[in-house]
Amino acid sequence: MLKRLLVRRFGLGLLTIWLVSVLVFLGTQVLPGNSAQAILGKRSTPERLAAMEKQLHLDQSVLQQYLNWLGGILTGDPGTSLASQQPVWHLLSDKIVNSAVLMLVAALITIPLSILLGTWAAVRRDRAVDHAISTTTLVLAAVPEFVIGILLVLTLATSVLQVFPAVSLLAPGQYPWNHPAVMVLPALTLILAATPYISRIMRGSMVEVLESEYVQMARLKGMPGRTVIWRHAVPNALVPAVQVSALILAWMAGGVVLVEYVFAYPGVGGALVDAVDNQDIPVVQFLALLAAVLYVTLNLAADVISILLTPRARTARA
């Protein structure tokens, strides 16, 4: 049953990615302007425009263009940047690595921290600690991530303290793990923006579990409080938090664009903004599809983890 369920979820994930690829391609086709015209600019003549359109395969039908693009994606060749005339993968590979490292660092801190805060608030329900955590997370949830980033710059990089660099500038060929200080403020922004959602869901789930009959029975049998919480309550309260964590991590794939722009972090955020400005369609298509693949993958992983954590789901009919 479990195998059939996982195969079904994997198949639905692939179908979703294919549908997104169609929407991404059609969406970029209806954008105003012409890629060949954008490349030639003022040098454009009807003959040169026709030659450029033929070179870019823009004279082919939309279906043939989509099949060519999809075939290139599947074979590891997402095309050539119209703005820089470099292969898209060569242009974006370092930026994708930089963004992935930033998101990984933020996720490795955000998820355990959120679970701890949610658990602590639930165990101390209606006490000062619970009110302090709930109020703080509610305020942070109401503040946009770019505002959090600007406040961090003002407090930790310019006006109050000058502990970390205000911008995350890296020379070509350098990576953020060689200069971890440049990652602190962007990662801290993502952590402060994402933690409230997961911790509040974890708190609500823990409160419900702590009031359940099997937890009350474990306490009546004299089981130590920490054992009841970490062995019986937390594992059963994790499922909603896992689902929300997947959504939050998927949000990071889009939210990281704003954060990278605020800190001039050399990731996919700046590359996406430049590609949109330059009407660099192959780069826009690849980044949009990459975000969709990441979103589907994270949700698929969350489904698998939820199934593994829920005995009833493991034995349910697919």
Side-chain angles (χ1 to χ4, degrees), residues 204-226:
S205 181
M206 271 294 293
V207 168
E208 183 177 347
V209 171
L210 288 175
E211 293 177 347
S212 62
E213 293 182 357
Y214 66 89
V215 169
Q216 299 297 330
M217 182 61 69
R219 284 175 170 166
L220 291 174
K221 288 183 176 180
M223 191 173 291
R226 290 186 178 182

Side-chain angles (χ1 to χ4, degrees), residues 181-231:
V182 304
M183 278 200 305
V184 173
L185 293 185
L188 187 57
T189 301
L190 291 174
I191 292 168
L192 292 178
T195 297
Y197 300 98
I198 305 176
S199 63
R200 292 176 70 84
I201 290 293
M202 185 65 192
R203 178 194 176 279
S205 181
M206 271 294 293
V207 168
E208 183 177 347
V209 171
L210 288 175
E211 293 177 347
S212 62
E213 293 182 357
Y214 66 89
V215 169
Q216 299 297 330
M217 182 61 69
R219 284 175 170 166
L220 291 174
K221 288 183 176 180
M223 191 173 291
R226 290 186 178 182
T227 304
V228 173
I229 292 171
W230 294 107
R231 182 177 296 176

Side-chain angles (χ1 to χ4, degrees), residues 65-101:
Q65 291 182 50
Y66 170 73
L67 293 176
N68 292 338
W69 173 70
L70 186 61
I73 293 290
L74 295 176
T75 56
D77 179 17
T80 302
S81 166
L82 300 181
S84 65
Q85 295 300 307
Q86 296 181 43
V88 171
W89 180 250
H90 177 74
L91 180 68
L92 297 177
S93 57
D94 286 347
K95 300 180 188 304
I96 292 173
V97 171
N98 291 342
S99 293
V101 170

Side-chain angles (χ1 to χ4, degrees), residues 6 235 238-239 242-243 246 298-310 313-314:
L6 294 179
L238 277 178
V239 174
V242 168
Q243 294 289 345
L298 288 171
N299 278 279
L300 184 62
D303 286 345
V304 173
I305 295 173
S306 299
I307 291 171
L308 295 177
L309 288 174
T310 310
R314 289 201 301 267

Side-chain angles (χ1 to χ4, degrees), residues 265-289:
Y265 186 83
V268 296
L272 181 59
V273 173
D274 291 340
V276 172
D277 286 342
N278 297 324
Q279 294 185 346
D280 200 344
I281 301 300
V283 174
V284 175
Q285 290 173 333
F286 180 70
L287 290 177
L289 186 61

Side-chain angles (χ1 to χ4, degrees), residues 97-171:
V97 171
N98 291 342
S99 293
V101 170
L102 177 61
M103 290 177 56
L104 180 63
V105 170
L108 289 177
I109 298 174
T110 297
I111 294 175
L113 177 63
S114 302
I115 292 173
L116 287 175
L117 287 176
T119 303
W120 191 18
V123 173
R124 301 291 181 182
R125 183 183 179 187
D126 294 333
R127 298 182 184 178
V129 172
D130 180 26
H131 293 310
I133 293 175
S134 298
T135 304
T136 303
T137 54
L138 183 61
V139 171
L140 288 174
V143 180
E145 61 269 20
F146 67 89
V147 175
I148 295 176
I150 293 172
L151 292 175
L152 289 177
V153 169
L154 292 175
T155 54
L156 297 178
T158 54
S159 302
V160 181
L161 299 173
Q162 296 181 358
V163 183
F164 302 107
V167 292
S168 306
L169 298 179
L170 289 173

